[in-house]
Amino acid sequence: MPRRYGPYGGAYVPETLVPALVELERTWRSARGDPAFRAELARLASTLGGRPTPLYFARNLTRRAGGAEIWLKREDLVHGGAHKFNNALGQGLLARRMGKRRLIAETGAGQHGVATAMIGAALGLQTEVYMGVVDMERQAPNVERMRLLGATVHPVESGLGTLKDAINAALRDWIATVRTTHYLLGSAVGPHPFPSIVAEFQSVIGREIRWQSRRAFGRLPDLAVACVGGGSNAIGTFHPLIRSSVELLGVEAGGPSAASRGAASLVRGRPGILHGALSYVLQDADGQIADTESVSAGLDYAGVGPEHAWLRDSGRARYVAVRDADALRAFRWLAQDEGILPALEPSHALWAAVRAARRRPKDQRIVVTLSGRGDKDLEVVARAAR
Ligand SMILES: *Cc1c(COP(=O)(O)O)cnc(C)c1O
């Protein structure tokens, strides 16, 4: 399990957290080699989570693009409506293995908070979620969901009252409670060993793409596309394909206008330390974390997982930024062409995939990870249409 991806990653944390990170890494090492752990993970992924998710040929969207075939990896069909379940389940089982009875989590849009609350309930663990006050207002239905699932939601008033502040609050809680509490981090970010643990739990996406594309069209795709917030659904898609010749394209949030930085840390940021790891970060000249803006709350984060930073620098993956208006356009295409309401996060990836398909011959195959469903975004989409 790498501590570093090239120069990126590491664990820039207060000393009080070091024993918890060491314990987590040790537990993870023993769990991943333990057939009983793997069997329990597979059983719940399937019977509670609904895996494997289908690989769907988007025939009408392909016709619209007029080039390469577009296939969708349907993570929107996972329990809870997004890929976040894959990671929450895995880490919930690790928490139980460590004998920790309490889970804490941060959440921005509320999707990770909901996934953690579901897992907390299913595994009988007390669950507390930190959420910025601004996000609580923007994502009120998810606050209600978390409460109905038995979790406590702590409003975070500091900073801008959004995701970055919620992570800071969760880290503060963890420093005081590490003996009894597992911090169930929601993306492939944070100090080692979180990025590699999250990547492995999400790699079920790419492993299924491997066998499903062989079964569906006899080989691996030519291109895999996924949206990048913290980078967990993208790294889960990419990881099992890194040693193949499949091209990898990560899609960040470009924000509302050409003048905006959006939340595109890999495209418009530079290396810096955020939340315990060295990676690409959107920051000002003094290294202060920049404000981000995106139509999709799930991509609205100034940092990104360290493995993506390395994939970018090494050239193994490419990253682009897609603007709000184009993501909204792709949302409508998928709704009207295929009868699927995607979340706004993967709508960014869909737009990039359609653009790529247009430029490629019909015998090429593109797989796009549809990381979540769009029910949570109906309000935003309706407002944008007015
Ligand atoms: C949270 C979320 C994302 C962004 O998170 P990653 O860690 O980058 O995957 C993307 N899509 C959906 C549907 C989400 O809920």
Side-chain angles (χ1 to χ4, degrees), residues 129-355:
V129 180
Y130 288 90
M131 189 170 188
V133 284
V134 170
D135 286 336
M136 284 181 74
E137 204 176 303
R138 287 195 287 197
Q139 311 285 336
N142 274 342
V143 175
E144 195 52 37
R145 280 186 192 103
M146 287 184 262
R147 288 184 174 142
L148 289 170
L149 291 161
T152 307
V153 182
H154 297 296
V156 178
E157 313 222 358
S158 56
L160 293 176
T162 58
L163 178 60
K164 171 169 66 70
D165 313 300
I167 297 180
N168 289 335
L171 281 168
R172 262 195 308 276
D173 178 317
W174 204 32
I175 288 167
T177 59
V178 285
R179 262 176 237 271
T180 57
T181 298
H182 176 60
Y183 177 13
L184 207 163
L185 196 51
S187 188
V189 301
H192 175 79
F194 280 109
S196 48
I197 290 177
V198 176
E200 178 118 349
F201 286 134
Q202 292 294 1
S203 286
V204 67
I205 301 172
R207 286 196 302 270
E208 288 178 8
I209 288 174
R210 261 193 333 219
W211 66 259
Q212 288 174 321
S213 54
R214 287 200 178 104
R215 181 178 286 181
F217 45 83
R219 58 182 178 84
L220 293 178
D222 300 280
L223 171 68
V225 187
C227 64
V228 178
S232 70
N233 88 89
I235 208 66
T237 301
F238 295 173
H239 218 101
L241 302 171
I242 282 177
R243 280 169 216 229
S244 74
S245 59
V246 177
E247 289 174 58
L248 308 174
L249 178 63
V251 184
E252 298 191 292
S257 69
S260 167
R261 272 182 291 215
S265 0
L266 291 162
V267 175
R268 299 188 187 131
R270 56 196 166 79
I273 292 171
L274 177 60
H275 296 135
L278 177 67
S279 186
Y280 277 78
V281 180
L282 284 173
Q283 52 192 307
D284 69 15
D286 298 329
Q288 291 299 310
I289 306 309
D291 295 347
T292 53
E293 46 182 352
S294 169
V295 69
S296 67
L299 301 184
D300 207 349
Y301 179 58
V304 66
E307 192 170 1
H308 286 293
W310 181 233
L311 289 172
R312 172 200 186 279
D313 282 11
S314 67
R316 179 63 190 89
R318 270 188 320 120
Y319 296 87
V320 294
V322 164
R323 287 204 216 130
D324 291 357
D326 290 328
L328 286 160
R329 207 162 285 142
F331 176 99
R332 291 198 195 86
W333 290 341
L334 198 70
Q336 289 165 21
D337 289 353
E338 303 292 346
I340 298 169
L341 294 172
L344 282 171
E345 293 85 1
S347 296
H348 290 72
L350 278 169
W351 193 84
V354 169
R355 186 174 56 177

